[in-house]
Structures are given as structure tokens and as C-alpha cells.
Amino acid sequence: MTPPRSVLIVGGGIAGLAAALRLRDTLGDAADITVVERADRLGGKLATGEFAGSPIETGAETFLVRRPEAVRLVERVGLTDRLRHPAAVSAGLVVDGRLIDMPRGTMMGIPADATGVADVVGEAALARIAAEPDTGRPLLGPGEDISVGHLVRDRLGDEITDRLVDPLLGGVYAGRADDLSLEVAIPALAKAARTHTRLTDAVASLLPPPSTAAPAPVFGTLEGGLSTLVEAVAEASAADIRLGLPVRRLERWNTGWRAEIGSTRDPYHLTADAVVLALPARPAARLLTDVDEAAAELVGELDYASLGLVSLAIPDADLPERSGFLVPATEGMTIKAATFFTKKWPHLDGGNPLSIMRASIGRYGDTEALRRDDGALVDITHRELARVLGDDLPRPVAASVRRWGGALPQYRPGHRERMIRARERLAGQPIALAGAAFDGVGIPACIASGEAAAERLREDRP
Ligand SMILES: Cc1cc2nc3c(=O)[nH]c(=O)nc-3n(C[C@H](O)[C@H](O)[C@H](O)COP(=O)(O)OP(=O)(O)OC[C@H]3O[C@@H](n4cnc5c(N)ncnc54)[C@H](O)[C@@H]3O)c2cc1C
């Protein structure tokens, strides 16, 4: 097996950049690593902007630190001293127009018992949770995948699904519990469901034992914003970065590849021994069409939810001691979540006289809200925040709207299996797939996916 001497990475999001750095670390200085990115900046869904005098995320906000990959990457590029964690304030949930504490002792809103969710659902639902019958066989068969909503509705009922599980999944995917794959959205629970015969037992087996010690941080970000990670990874990879250039076509060329890059009127070509496609599903499928049509079809099946993020800077806001709140679709509001940035992140609060908050709008399949213009989205956001926080919420002194078309992948049941099949179709060719379109939406999952793609090209090169 000869390691590739030149690698083309298509897509400069965090997955592509993590792949570039891992390739540099494993192939050494002599390797020719090129990242071609369609946009005029790197980072993809990681995008820090300036708002009301603070570096504010206009895309992804934070990464899980319970998974190791993001923290390890931060360490690798020498940014550990910039790592920051949220304040010890919890998120709230809107139930019947009231802001209540987010129940503890659940996994993505699925309770291990009825005690913690008494404020969220009625007596009948509580009784059903407490008396969940034993199926006598595992909840999930070998290789089986179902939607999270299917499982939870079936075992614990609609109320817990609609009021708790759906908004929590909606906060991550802008998607619905009834559509999202259990195996991709909550992989640990899918695994437990293959051995447990009651959902509450499966959840209980995964929750940490109660402890009086201060909980270890779950999330992190970087002082200066996530774009500092993007820049540092790009720099450490010493890759040749080409911005503002879409890759339009990919074809086999000798033992490697030839990519057509740039405008259709004036394209140029780049050849490489190996390729990483670190792209969303549709552009990845387009480039795979000439490589393997069946793989292209499998990859192209994935659909996405679009999203709008409305940031507001509000003077003299008397906010509750919370990081923000989630809104179940059953509440009939337009915003589905709000984050109080300056409460949640102590490093953003220092000396800022304004409260900065960000609301997200847009659920999969419901594009009507996003058809409104920016001014209307700002007005709706302020009105609905005031409905939850109090009518005296002052008007914002600054507002900004960031729209993300095709933002968040909607993994259907069977997604993981489809990606295994797509990769099998490509086996034996020096090409690897990486990123949220394939291996999960979170930043650590995308980093892991990029790094695994780099390893595969190094190890499996035919
Ligand atoms: C609004 C929002 C908030 C989020 N919040 C969080 C969060 O708080 N925590 C978390 O863990 N995750 C969050 N996520 C998810 C996470 O940010 C993404 O899943 C992850 O960043 C995706 O990385 P990626 O490299 O796979 O893809 P992307 O970031 O989508 O990068 C793919 C890149 O490919 C480029 N590209 C597309 N077509 C071509 C082409 N033909 N040629 C060249 N380049 C091309 C694109 O321009 C893009 O830069 C959020 C996502 C969004 C949208």
C-alpha cells in the first residue's frame, strides 16, 4: 500500500479541515494537500461574526466536550487556553406558555421514570411512564432502526414525545422526533434498546449515577469564537487553501482523480492521488455521479432543514438565570429555541451592558416562517421572547438575521446502513466521505469523520 502523495479535500468545513490536518500529521511535510472551498471563507457551519461589540456565533455555537474529538483538536492546534465552558445555569422549557425548568434525569427528553417530568405532562402520561410494560423482547432487533418518535410514542405516549423529546431533538436538528433515526440521533440509546425490554430501563442504564460533586462541563467553546478553531486547524494543516471555488466534476484520472474547479465558463483542473469529499449530501452526490451512480443515489437521499437565527441586543433586560429555553411545536410559537448568550457564556458577559440573545426559527417541513423578511423575523422574535420573559422586555438596540438554507441533515431511519452501503460501493477507490452528511451532525462527530477519512486514505489505498 502506498500512501497518497497528493490529496484533494473538497469542502472547507470542520470535517474537511480535520481531514487536512490528520493527513498532514500522518503523511508529513512533503504531502501535497489542497482544500477547495466554494464559499469565500473556511468553516462552513462554523461562522463567528461580530455583533453588538462581541464575537457571536452566527452558526454552530458550542461543541460537546464529553466526546474527546473537539477538545483533542483544540489541544492539537494550541488553543487550550482559550477553551471556555458555559455558566452553571440550565435551560428552560416552555410548557403551556410558562417557562419551567428543563427536567433532569432524561436522555434527549426521554425519562427513566416519571418523577422528573411531573411539570411537563399530565397525570395520565405520568402513570403510563411509571407503568411501562415489559415487551419481553428487546425494543430494537439486530440491525433495526426506527424513528425516535416511533419508539417513544409507542412506549411512553404522545405527550412526552411532543412536549419534551421533540423540542430537544428540534434544538439540535430543527427536525421532528417522528422522522429522525434513533441510531444516528441517540446512538447510545439505540444500542441499549437492543438489549433492554423497557424504554425507561434502557434510559436508566445510560444515565450517570446521582452525585453531589459539581458536574463536569458538557459543552465548550473558544474565546474569540469557533472561527478561531477553523483558522488554527487550517494553518496547522499547511494545506493549499483555495476559496471561492466550487468543485463541479470529479473523474478518475490514471490511478487518482481529476477535478473540474471554478466557474463553468472558465474552469481549471486539478489532479490528485486521493480525494476527500467533505460536503453536504447534494453536492457530494453530484460529484459522485460519475464515480458510482448507486453511491451517489444513496448519499443524495438525505434531506436538510433550513433555519433562521435572529440575534438581538437588548439593554436593561431582566433575564431569568437560565441559558435559554426550548419551545415545543405544540406551543404554536414561531421561535423554537432561544439562547441567552451573555447569561450562558461568562466570557461574553464581561462588561457588556447589553443582553445578547439568539432565537432560532424553522422546523423541518415548515418553511413558511422563513419566507418572511428580516424585519418581520426580528419583530416576531421580540414579541415571542416578551411573551415568555415578560411584556416589559425592552426593544432591541441591534438585531441581525442569519439564514441557513439546507442547514441541518434530517437522518431518516436506516441512514447509517445507507452510508455503509455507499462506502462499500466506493471501496477500493482512493476516495473517502466525511462530515455531517454521513456520520452525524455534532462538531465532534464531524471532526471524527474527517479524521477517519484521512486514516482510510492512508491505510486502505489500493
Ligand atoms: C445554525 C447551526 C447551528 C449549529 N449548532 C451546532 C452546535 O452548537 N454544536 C454542534 O456540535 N453542531 C452544531 N451544528 C452542526 C455543525 O455545525 C455541523 O454539522 C458541522 O459544522 C458540519 O461540518 P461539515 O464540515 O460536515 O460541513 P459544512 O460545515 O457544511 O462544510 C461543508 C463545506 O463544503 C462547501 N461546499 C459545498 N459544495 C461545494 C463544492 N461543490 N465545492 C467546494 N466546496 C463546497 C460548503 O461551502 C461548506 O463550507 C449547527 C449547524 C447549524 C447550521
Side-chain angles (χ1 to χ4, degrees), residues 10-16 36-39 41 43-46 58-64 245-248 278-280 283 287 307 309 358 404 407-409 434-437 440-444 446:
V10 190
I14 195 63
V36 179
E37 164 56 52
R38 185 183 60 181
R41 60 164 190 91
K45 308 302 189 306
L46 273 53
T58 68
E61 182 204 344
T62 174
F63 49 78
L64 259 184
L245 293 168
V247 174
R248 300 192 172 278
L279 298 169
L287 293 185
L307 201 67
L309 298 173
R358 184 177 94 171
W404 288 96
L408 290 160
V441 77
I443 293 169
C446 293

Short mmCIF file of all heavy atoms in Angstrom, two decimals, residues 10-16 36-39 41 43-46 58-64 245-248 278-280 283 287 307 309 358 404 407-409 434-437 440-444 446, ligand 1:
data_model
loop_
_atom_site.label_atom_id
_atom_site.label_comp_id
_atom_site.label_asym_id
_atom_site.label_seq_id
_atom_site.Cartn_x
_atom_site.Cartn_y
_atom_site.Cartn_z
N VAL A 10 -12.41 18.33 -0.80
CA VAL A 10 -13.45 19.20 -1.33
C VAL A 10 -14.37 19.58 -0.17
O VAL A 10 -15.03 18.72 0.41
CB VAL A 10 -14.26 18.51 -2.45
CG1 VAL A 10 -15.16 19.53 -3.13
CG2 VAL A 10 -13.34 17.85 -3.46
N GLY A 11 -14.39 20.85 0.18
CA GLY A 11 -15.21 21.34 1.31
C GLY A 11 -14.32 21.74 2.47
O GLY A 11 -13.59 20.91 3.01
N GLY A 12 -14.40 23.02 2.83
CA GLY A 12 -13.55 23.55 3.91
C GLY A 12 -14.31 23.78 5.18
O GLY A 12 -14.05 24.75 5.91
N GLY A 13 -15.28 22.90 5.50
CA GLY A 13 -15.92 22.93 6.82
C GLY A 13 -15.00 22.23 7.81
O GLY A 13 -13.87 21.84 7.48
N ILE A 14 -15.50 22.02 9.04
CA ILE A 14 -14.63 21.46 10.07
C ILE A 14 -14.23 20.02 9.73
O ILE A 14 -13.10 19.61 10.04
CB ILE A 14 -15.27 21.58 11.48
CG1 ILE A 14 -14.24 21.34 12.57
CG2 ILE A 14 -16.47 20.66 11.66
CD1 ILE A 14 -13.12 22.33 12.62
N ALA A 15 -15.09 19.28 9.04
CA ALA A 15 -14.73 17.89 8.69
C ALA A 15 -13.58 17.89 7.68
O ALA A 15 -12.61 17.13 7.83
CB ALA A 15 -15.94 17.16 8.11
N GLY A 16 -13.67 18.73 6.66
CA GLY A 16 -12.61 18.79 5.65
C GLY A 16 -11.29 19.25 6.26
O GLY A 16 -10.22 18.71 5.94
N VAL A 36 -10.31 22.74 -1.37
CA VAL A 36 -11.04 23.64 -2.27
C VAL A 36 -12.42 23.90 -1.68
O VAL A 36 -13.17 22.96 -1.40
CB VAL A 36 -11.16 23.04 -3.69
CG1 VAL A 36 -11.94 23.98 -4.59
CG2 VAL A 36 -9.78 22.79 -4.27
N GLU A 37 -12.72 25.16 -1.48
CA GLU A 37 -13.96 25.56 -0.79
C GLU A 37 -14.74 26.52 -1.69
O GLU A 37 -14.19 27.49 -2.20
CB GLU A 37 -13.60 26.21 0.56
CG GLU A 37 -14.69 27.00 1.25
CD GLU A 37 -15.98 26.22 1.49
OE1 GLU A 37 -15.92 25.12 2.07
OE2 GLU A 37 -17.05 26.73 1.09
N ARG A 38 -16.03 26.22 -1.81
CA ARG A 38 -16.87 27.04 -2.69
C ARG A 38 -17.08 28.46 -2.16
O ARG A 38 -17.09 29.42 -2.91
CB ARG A 38 -18.24 26.35 -2.83
CG ARG A 38 -19.17 27.02 -3.80
CD ARG A 38 -20.51 26.33 -3.82
NE ARG A 38 -21.14 26.36 -2.50
CZ ARG A 38 -22.31 25.82 -2.22
NH1 ARG A 38 -22.97 25.18 -3.16
NH2 ARG A 38 -22.82 25.90 -1.01
N ALA A 39 -17.24 28.58 -0.84
CA ALA A 39 -17.50 29.91 -0.25
C ALA A 39 -16.20 30.71 -0.19
O ALA A 39 -15.11 30.19 -0.42
CB ALA A 39 -18.07 29.73 1.15
N ARG A 41 -14.96 31.89 2.44
CA ARG A 41 -14.33 31.72 3.76
C ARG A 41 -14.36 30.25 4.12
O ARG A 41 -15.19 29.49 3.60
CB ARG A 41 -15.08 32.54 4.82
CG ARG A 41 -16.52 32.11 4.95
CD ARG A 41 -17.21 32.59 6.20
NE ARG A 41 -18.50 31.90 6.29
CZ ARG A 41 -18.69 30.75 6.92
NH1 ARG A 41 -17.70 30.17 7.55
NH2 ARG A 41 -19.86 30.17 6.94
N GLY A 43 -14.81 27.13 7.07
CA GLY A 43 -15.59 26.92 8.30
C GLY A 43 -16.96 26.32 8.08
O GLY A 43 -17.50 25.70 8.97
N GLY A 44 -17.56 26.54 6.90
CA GLY A 44 -18.91 26.01 6.67
C GLY A 44 -19.86 26.49 7.76
O GLY A 44 -20.04 27.70 7.94
N LYS A 45 -20.43 25.54 8.50
CA LYS A 45 -21.44 25.89 9.52
C LYS A 45 -20.82 26.52 10.77
O LYS A 45 -21.53 26.89 11.69
CB LYS A 45 -22.24 24.66 9.93
CG LYS A 45 -22.85 23.84 8.80
CD LYS A 45 -23.78 24.63 7.92
CE LYS A 45 -24.57 23.83 6.91
NZ LYS A 45 -23.89 22.97 5.99
N LEU A 46 -19.51 26.59 10.83
CA LEU A 46 -18.85 27.32 11.93
C LEU A 46 -18.52 28.71 11.41
O LEU A 46 -17.72 28.86 10.47
CB LEU A 46 -17.55 26.61 12.35
CG LEU A 46 -17.66 25.50 13.41
CD1 LEU A 46 -18.68 24.46 13.03
CD2 LEU A 46 -16.32 24.86 13.64
N THR A 58 -22.69 32.93 14.39
CA THR A 58 -23.85 33.02 13.50
C THR A 58 -24.20 31.64 12.95
O THR A 58 -25.10 31.49 12.14
CB THR A 58 -23.59 33.99 12.33
OG1 THR A 58 -22.60 33.42 11.49
CG2 THR A 58 -23.12 35.34 12.82
N GLY A 59 -23.45 30.64 13.37
CA GLY A 59 -23.74 29.25 13.01
C GLY A 59 -23.69 28.42 14.27
O GLY A 59 -24.29 28.76 15.29
N ALA A 60 -22.91 27.32 14.22
CA ALA A 60 -22.80 26.46 15.41
C ALA A 60 -22.27 27.26 16.59
O ALA A 60 -21.44 28.16 16.42
CB ALA A 60 -21.87 25.29 15.11
N GLU A 61 -22.76 26.90 17.78
CA GLU A 61 -22.43 27.71 18.95
C GLU A 61 -21.40 27.04 19.86
O GLU A 61 -20.57 27.70 20.47
CB GLU A 61 -23.74 27.94 19.73
CG GLU A 61 -23.59 28.80 20.94
CD GLU A 61 -24.69 28.54 21.95
OE1 GLU A 61 -25.72 27.94 21.59
OE2 GLU A 61 -24.50 28.94 23.10
N THR A 62 -21.49 25.73 19.99
CA THR A 62 -20.72 25.07 21.04
C THR A 62 -20.45 23.62 20.65
O THR A 62 -21.13 23.09 19.78
CB THR A 62 -21.53 25.14 22.36
OG1 THR A 62 -20.87 24.39 23.36
CG2 THR A 62 -22.94 24.58 22.21
N PHE A 63 -19.45 23.00 21.27
CA PHE A 63 -19.21 21.57 21.00
C PHE A 63 -19.26 20.78 22.29
O PHE A 63 -18.97 21.30 23.36
CB PHE A 63 -17.88 21.36 20.26
CG PHE A 63 -16.70 22.06 20.87
CD1 PHE A 63 -16.08 21.55 21.99
CD2 PHE A 63 -16.23 23.23 20.31
CE1 PHE A 63 -14.99 22.20 22.55
CE2 PHE A 63 -15.13 23.89 20.87
CZ PHE A 63 -14.52 23.37 22.00
N LEU A 64 -19.65 19.53 22.13
CA LEU A 64 -19.67 18.61 23.28
C LEU A 64 -18.23 18.37 23.72
O LEU A 64 -17.39 18.06 22.88
CB LEU A 64 -20.24 17.27 22.83
CG LEU A 64 -21.68 16.90 23.13
CD1 LEU A 64 -21.92 15.48 22.66
CD2 LEU A 64 -22.00 17.04 24.60
N LEU A 245 -14.23 28.75 -4.82
CA LEU A 245 -14.15 27.89 -6.00
C LEU A 245 -14.95 26.60 -5.78
O LEU A 245 -14.55 25.75 -4.97
CB LEU A 245 -12.69 27.51 -6.25
CG LEU A 245 -11.76 28.65 -6.68
CD1 LEU A 245 -10.32 28.18 -6.62
CD2 LEU A 245 -12.10 29.13 -8.08
N PRO A 246 -16.06 26.44 -6.47
CA PRO A 246 -16.77 25.16 -6.36
C PRO A 246 -16.07 24.07 -7.18
O PRO A 246 -15.55 24.35 -8.25
CB PRO A 246 -18.15 25.46 -6.96
CG PRO A 246 -17.93 26.61 -7.88
CD PRO A 246 -16.74 27.38 -7.37
N VAL A 247 -16.05 22.87 -6.63
CA VAL A 247 -15.63 21.73 -7.46
C VAL A 247 -16.88 21.25 -8.18
O VAL A 247 -17.91 20.98 -7.56
CB VAL A 247 -15.02 20.61 -6.59
CG1 VAL A 247 -14.71 19.38 -7.44
CG2 VAL A 247 -13.76 21.11 -5.91
N ARG A 248 -16.82 21.18 -9.51
CA ARG A 248 -18.02 20.88 -10.30
C ARG A 248 -18.09 19.45 -10.77
O ARG A 248 -19.17 18.91 -11.01
CB ARG A 248 -18.08 21.80 -11.53
CG ARG A 248 -18.14 23.24 -11.17
CD ARG A 248 -18.49 24.11 -12.34
NE ARG A 248 -18.70 25.46 -11.85
CZ ARG A 248 -19.81 25.89 -11.30
NH1 ARG A 248 -20.84 25.07 -11.19
NH2 ARG A 248 -19.93 27.12 -10.87
N ALA A 278 -15.86 16.28 1.66
CA ALA A 278 -16.34 16.73 2.98
C ALA A 278 -17.44 17.76 2.74
O ALA A 278 -17.32 18.93 3.10
CB ALA A 278 -15.18 17.30 3.79
N LEU A 279 -18.49 17.30 2.12
CA LEU A 279 -19.53 18.17 1.58
C LEU A 279 -20.90 17.78 2.12
O LEU A 279 -21.11 16.63 2.50
CB LEU A 279 -19.60 17.98 0.06
CG LEU A 279 -18.38 18.34 -0.75
CD1 LEU A 279 -18.53 17.83 -2.17
CD2 LEU A 279 -18.21 19.84 -0.73
N PRO A 280 -21.86 18.70 2.08
CA PRO A 280 -23.25 18.29 2.32
C PRO A 280 -23.69 17.27 1.25
O PRO A 280 -23.04 17.10 0.22
CB PRO A 280 -24.03 19.60 2.17
CG PRO A 280 -23.02 20.68 2.44
CD PRO A 280 -21.72 20.15 1.91
N PRO A 283 -24.24 18.33 -2.93
CA PRO A 283 -23.01 18.48 -3.71
C PRO A 283 -22.15 17.22 -3.72
O PRO A 283 -21.51 16.91 -4.74
CB PRO A 283 -22.28 19.65 -3.05
CG PRO A 283 -23.01 19.97 -1.81
CD PRO A 283 -24.38 19.38 -1.91
N LEU A 287 -20.99 15.14 -7.20
CA LEU A 287 -19.61 14.77 -7.59
C LEU A 287 -19.44 13.26 -7.71
O LEU A 287 -18.56 12.79 -8.43
CB LEU A 287 -18.61 15.35 -6.60
CG LEU A 287 -18.49 16.88 -6.58
CD1 LEU A 287 -17.38 17.31 -5.65
CD2 LEU A 287 -18.25 17.44 -7.97
N LEU A 307 -33.01 27.06 8.31
CA LEU A 307 -33.06 27.66 9.63
C LEU A 307 -32.79 29.16 9.53
O LEU A 307 -32.02 29.59 8.69
CB LEU A 307 -31.90 27.01 10.41
CG LEU A 307 -31.88 27.00 11.90
CD1 LEU A 307 -33.01 26.11 12.40
CD2 LEU A 307 -30.55 26.40 12.37
N LEU A 309 -31.58 32.38 12.15
CA LEU A 309 -31.13 32.72 13.51
C LEU A 309 -31.25 34.23 13.68
O LEU A 309 -30.69 34.99 12.88
CB LEU A 309 -29.68 32.30 13.72
CG LEU A 309 -29.41 30.79 13.61
CD1 LEU A 309 -27.93 30.51 13.68
CD2 LEU A 309 -30.14 30.05 14.72
N ARG A 358 -30.15 34.92 21.13
CA ARG A 358 -30.32 34.46 19.75
C ARG A 358 -31.47 33.46 19.74
O ARG A 358 -31.50 32.54 20.55
CB ARG A 358 -29.04 33.80 19.28
CG ARG A 358 -29.06 33.37 17.84
CD ARG A 358 -27.72 32.79 17.43
NE ARG A 358 -27.73 31.34 17.59
CZ ARG A 358 -26.76 30.54 17.14
NH1 ARG A 358 -25.71 31.04 16.54
NH2 ARG A 358 -26.83 29.24 17.32
N TRP A 404 -29.81 30.11 7.13
CA TRP A 404 -29.04 28.95 6.69
C TRP A 404 -29.96 28.05 5.87
O TRP A 404 -30.80 27.37 6.44
CB TRP A 404 -28.53 28.14 7.89
CG TRP A 404 -27.43 28.79 8.67
CD1 TRP A 404 -27.57 29.53 9.80
CD2 TRP A 404 -26.02 28.75 8.40
NE1 TRP A 404 -26.35 29.95 10.25
CE2 TRP A 404 -25.38 29.48 9.41
CE3 TRP A 404 -25.24 28.15 7.41
CZ2 TRP A 404 -23.99 29.65 9.46
CZ3 TRP A 404 -23.86 28.32 7.45
CH2 TRP A 404 -23.26 29.07 8.47
N ALA A 407 -29.53 23.62 6.23
CA ALA A 407 -28.58 23.70 7.34
C ALA A 407 -28.29 22.38 8.02
O ALA A 407 -27.15 22.01 8.25
CB ALA A 407 -29.12 24.68 8.38
N LEU A 408 -29.38 21.67 8.34
CA LEU A 408 -29.20 20.53 9.26
C LEU A 408 -29.75 19.25 8.66
O LEU A 408 -30.92 19.18 8.26
CB LEU A 408 -29.91 20.85 10.59
CG LEU A 408 -29.19 21.94 11.39
CD1 LEU A 408 -30.12 22.58 12.41
CD2 LEU A 408 -27.95 21.39 12.07
N PRO A 409 -28.92 18.21 8.59
CA PRO A 409 -29.35 16.95 7.98
C PRO A 409 -30.46 16.27 8.76
O PRO A 409 -30.46 16.29 9.99
CB PRO A 409 -28.08 16.08 8.01
CG PRO A 409 -27.06 16.82 8.77
CD PRO A 409 -27.55 18.17 9.10
N ALA A 434 -16.70 12.41 4.20
CA ALA A 434 -16.57 12.90 5.57
C ALA A 434 -17.58 14.00 5.84
O ALA A 434 -17.95 14.75 4.95
CB ALA A 434 -15.16 13.44 5.81
N GLY A 435 -18.00 14.08 7.12
CA GLY A 435 -18.79 15.22 7.55
C GLY A 435 -20.20 14.86 7.96
O GLY A 435 -20.59 13.69 8.03
N ALA A 436 -20.96 15.91 8.22
CA ALA A 436 -22.29 15.75 8.79
C ALA A 436 -23.24 14.99 7.89
O ALA A 436 -24.18 14.35 8.36
CB ALA A 436 -22.87 17.13 9.10
N ALA A 437 -23.01 15.03 6.59
CA ALA A 437 -23.91 14.32 5.68
C ALA A 437 -23.85 12.82 5.90
O ALA A 437 -24.78 12.10 5.57
CB ALA A 437 -23.54 14.63 4.23
N GLY A 440 -23.10 12.07 11.30
CA GLY A 440 -23.65 12.73 12.49
C GLY A 440 -23.37 14.21 12.47
O GLY A 440 -22.39 14.68 11.91
N VAL A 441 -24.26 14.95 13.14
CA VAL A 441 -24.29 16.40 12.95
C VAL A 441 -23.33 17.17 13.85
O VAL A 441 -22.86 18.25 13.48
CB VAL A 441 -25.74 16.91 13.15
CG1 VAL A 441 -26.10 16.98 14.63
CG2 VAL A 441 -25.99 18.22 12.47
N GLY A 442 -23.04 16.67 15.03
CA GLY A 442 -22.28 17.46 16.01
C GLY A 442 -20.85 17.72 15.56
O GLY A 442 -20.28 16.95 14.77
N ILE A 443 -20.27 18.77 16.09
CA ILE A 443 -18.90 19.14 15.69
C ILE A 443 -17.92 18.00 15.99
O ILE A 443 -17.11 17.64 15.11
CB ILE A 443 -18.49 20.47 16.38
CG1 ILE A 443 -19.35 21.61 15.83
CG2 ILE A 443 -17.00 20.77 16.18
CD1 ILE A 443 -19.24 22.92 16.61
N PRO A 444 -17.95 17.37 17.19
CA PRO A 444 -17.01 16.26 17.42
C PRO A 444 -17.21 15.12 16.42
O PRO A 444 -16.24 14.52 15.95
CB PRO A 444 -17.34 15.80 18.85
CG PRO A 444 -17.99 16.98 19.49
CD PRO A 444 -18.74 17.67 18.39
N CYS A 446 -18.23 15.39 13.36
CA CYS A 446 -17.69 15.81 12.06
C CYS A 446 -16.17 15.76 12.07
O CYS A 446 -15.54 15.38 11.07
CB CYS A 446 -18.17 17.23 11.72
SG CYS A 446 -19.94 17.31 11.43
C1 LIG B 1 -27.14 27.12 12.63
C2 LIG B 1 -26.40 25.87 13.06
C3 LIG B 1 -26.11 25.70 14.38
C4 LIG B 1 -25.41 24.56 14.79
N1 LIG B 1 -25.07 24.43 16.10
C5 LIG B 1 -24.26 23.42 16.48
C6 LIG B 1 -23.74 23.38 17.79
O1 LIG B 1 -23.96 24.28 18.61
N2 LIG B 1 -22.94 22.32 18.12
C7 LIG B 1 -22.62 21.34 17.24
O2 LIG B 1 -21.88 20.40 17.60
N3 LIG B 1 -23.08 21.37 15.97
C8 LIG B 1 -23.87 22.40 15.57
N4 LIG B 1 -24.32 22.46 14.29
C9 LIG B 1 -23.94 21.40 13.36
C10 LIG B 1 -22.49 21.51 12.91
O3 LIG B 1 -22.09 22.84 12.91
C11 LIG B 1 -22.34 20.95 11.50
O4 LIG B 1 -22.93 19.68 11.41
C12 LIG B 1 -20.86 20.85 11.09
O5 LIG B 1 -20.20 22.07 11.30
C13 LIG B 1 -20.79 20.39 9.65
O6 LIG B 1 -19.44 20.35 9.27
P1 LIG B 1 -19.05 19.74 7.86
O7 LIG B 1 -17.61 20.04 7.65
O8 LIG B 1 -19.51 18.34 7.77
O9 LIG B 1 -19.95 20.51 6.79
P2 LIG B 1 -20.08 22.04 6.42
O10 LIG B 1 -19.77 22.91 7.57
O11 LIG B 1 -21.41 22.15 5.77
O12 LIG B 1 -18.92 22.25 5.35
C14 LIG B 1 -19.04 21.82 4.03
C15 LIG B 1 -18.37 22.84 3.14
O13 LIG B 1 -18.44 22.40 1.78
C16 LIG B 1 -18.54 23.55 0.95
N5 LIG B 1 -19.02 23.16 -0.38
C17 LIG B 1 -20.28 22.78 -0.75
N6 LIG B 1 -20.28 22.44 -2.05
C18 LIG B 1 -19.01 22.59 -2.52
C19 LIG B 1 -18.39 22.36 -3.77
N7 LIG B 1 -19.08 21.91 -4.83
N8 LIG B 1 -17.05 22.62 -3.90
C20 LIG B 1 -16.34 23.06 -2.84
N9 LIG B 1 -16.89 23.29 -1.61
C21 LIG B 1 -18.20 23.05 -1.46
C22 LIG B 1 -19.50 24.43 1.72
O14 LIG B 1 -19.41 25.78 1.30
C23 LIG B 1 -19.04 24.21 3.17
O15 LIG B 1 -18.10 25.18 3.57
C24 LIG B 1 -25.02 23.57 13.84
C25 LIG B 1 -25.34 23.76 12.50
C26 LIG B 1 -26.01 24.90 12.10
C27 LIG B 1 -26.33 25.10 10.65
#
